Amino acid sequence: MSPIPDSYAPHFRKSAFTDPWEPLYSRVTPEQISLGTVLREAHCNSRGIIHGGFISAIADNAMGLSCVQIMKGQGRDVKNLVTVNLGVDFTGMAKVGEWIATEGEVVKLGGSLGFIRTRLITEKGTIARANATFKLG
């Protein structure tokens, strides 16, 4: 099993949607919130390979949290945030026991839309790239 990097702590935000992903970890910086976990069978398909649905969901979650992080840093009031578009490119794979984390970048936050991208990485490298557009409210 891969170790949890020292820069990550138990995730600060709990929800019924992410509860099955636990234990979930986050690293908070002014520029992003990175999410990470050690892959378990619940994250994988029947062949023990990370499931595309999990990749998409954790990427979407991390990108939304990162948008909120930047907006709060700008002193903007964040009432809600909704995913308008999500695109994911699957470029590799990961298996049970591996550490996976998001590494994101907010591209632009306008008045009503936010654009962000992220990579999902393991110790072997990038396994997916995602781009999203969020409606800011």
Side-chain angles (χ1 to χ4, degrees), residues 65-86:
L65 290 171
S66 293
C67 281
V68 170
Q69 179 76 352
I70 296 286
M71 291 173 69
K72 285 182 178 179
Q74 294 173 343
R76 292 172 65 174
D77 186 28
V78 183
K79 294 183 181 116
N80 58 49
L81 189 106
V82 179
T83 307
V84 174
N85 185 47
L86 175 67

Side-chain angles (χ1 to χ4, degrees), residues 44-71:
C44 298
N45 62 25
S46 60
R47 296 173 310 210
I49 299 169
I50 189 170
H51 195 284
F54 176 71
I55 289 172
S56 301
I58 196 169
D60 180 55
N61 197 284
M63 289 187 289
L65 290 171
S66 293
C67 281
V68 170
Q69 179 76 352
I70 296 286
M71 291 173 69

Side-chain angles (χ1 to χ4, degrees), residues 110-128:
S112 62
L113 293 175
F115 303 90
I116 186 167
R117 60 183 163 227
T118 195
R119 296 180 310 129
L120 282 93
I121 57 172
T122 68
E123 62 186 32
K124 295 182 283 187
T126 301
I127 64 158

Side-chain angles (χ1 to χ4, degrees), residues 73-115:
Q74 294 173 343
R76 292 172 65 174
D77 186 28
V78 183
K79 294 183 181 116
N80 58 49
L81 189 106
V82 179
T83 307
V84 174
N85 185 47
L86 175 67
V88 183
D89 298 316
F90 303 98
T91 59
M93 65 179 176
K95 295 185 176 188
V96 170
E98 291 184 58
W99 170 258
I100 183 170
T102 62
E103 288 293 333
E105 174 189 9
V106 173
V107 177
K108 180 178 182 183
L109 290 177
S112 62
L113 293 175
F115 303 90

